[in-house]
Amino acid sequence: MPEEKRAITIRHLLDGTSGLANFHGRPDDADRDLSWISREEAIRRMMERPLLFEPGSDRAPSHSAYGVLAAIVELVSGDSYGDFLRTNFFAPAGMERTGLYGESLGLDPDRFAVGYGQQASDPNIPPEWGPASWLVMGSGGMVSSPHDLRRWLQFLQSDGPLEGEWQGPYTRPGAATGGSDRGFMAVTAWDGAGSLSRFNVWTGKTL
């Protein structure tokens, strides 16, 4: 660990105050999400980049920080990041259609929505994109379904493993969007009282 980064704590990584750069992709990566790099390569890139600010002194979004957190999960648990999530979160929440890029989830290919954005495979579905790269591990590289995402919220807000500790963004009314370059988009709105007022996922050229 470079000297200037040794003051970074797990809390800094979680709350956007680590000072790590937002991304650790490079211009020569063929795809900013799908190009394969290992955990070791990802950490090396993150540690080589200069800090945006002294840890704890400011706040800025950092996908790289979540990559470090995913690496910590693997090193401490001895499990892969995907296996750790399945065992401790997805399975207890009843989420059967959530996983990492490259995983079939035991489903036939025709059960996956086909992306109409940047063509990454034929068919353009996540199981065909190769294993989730450490370019996005911890901050992306995953797929889910509207029903599973509802189960995720319910899990966190009820008897999930973070009970009594989790203070997420869903405690007040709001809305959010998310998606990928490959033609997937999700929009969610919630009422702040534990209920989703709308949750839709779209795929298609109309995006």
Side-chain angles (χ1 to χ4, degrees), residues 82 85-87 89-100 103-108 111-112 127 142-152 155:
L85 293 180
R86 271 185 288 274
T87 300
F89 294 97
F90 303 155
M95 300 167 67
E96 298 179 347
R97 298 198 174 195
T98 300
L100 301 178
E103 296 178 343
S104 71
L105 305 178
L107 302 172
D108 292 333
R111 304 304 297 169
F112 285 85
M142 301 184 68
V143 295
S144 191
S145 70
H147 293 299
D148 266 14
L149 292 174
R150 179 181 289 273
R151 293 184 183 106
W152 172 246
F155 182 61

Side-chain angles (χ1 to χ4, degrees), residues 22-200:
N22 195 10
F23 297 99
H24 47 278
R26 298 191 308 204
D28 59 349
D29 292 326
D31 187 287
R32 67 180 186 178
D33 291 339
L34 302 183
S35 294
W36 170 255
I37 67 168
S38 66
R39 185 183 75 192
E40 291 71 22
E41 170 66 11
I43 296 298
R44 185 182 66 79
R45 292 186 185 189
M46 296 175 202
M47 294 304 108
E48 285 180 349
R49 299 216 168 158
L51 288 174
L52 302 177
F53 46 80
E54 183 180 343
S57 67
D58 204 346
R59 187 182 303 272
S62 176
H63 286 72
S64 292
Y66 286 105
V68 175
L69 288 166
I72 291 172
V73 166
E74 290 199 342
L75 292 168
V76 173
S77 71
D79 295 329
S80 71
Y81 183 64
D83 286 345
F84 183 88
L85 293 180
R86 271 185 288 274
T87 300
N88 294 281
F89 294 97
F90 303 155
M95 300 167 67
E96 298 179 347
R97 298 198 174 195
T98 300
L100 301 178
Y101 288 174
E103 296 178 343
S104 71
L105 305 178
L107 302 172
D108 292 333
D110 62 4
R111 304 304 297 169
F112 285 85
V114 178
Y116 287 93
Q118 178 183 344
Q119 191 76 18
S121 61
D122 187 16
N124 197 25
I125 58 175
E128 300 295 325
W129 296 346
S133 171
W134 279 85
L135 282 172
V136 293
M137 194 74 76
S139 67
M142 301 184 68
V143 295
S144 191
S145 70
H147 293 299
D148 266 14
L149 292 174
R150 179 181 289 273
R151 293 184 183 106
W152 172 246
L153 273 182
Q154 292 170 337
F155 182 61
L156 289 182
Q157 294 171 334
S158 59
D159 58 354
L162 305 182
E163 182 180 5
E165 300 177 18
W166 183 72
Q167 294 181 354
Y170 306 107
T171 56
R172 59 187 183 276
T177 62
S180 80
D181 293 339
R182 275 153 284 280
F184 296 84
M185 178 64 72
V187 177
T188 180
W190 55 94
D191 64 7
S195 297
L196 289 170
S197 58
R198 182 180 66 195
F199 202 107
N200 295 310

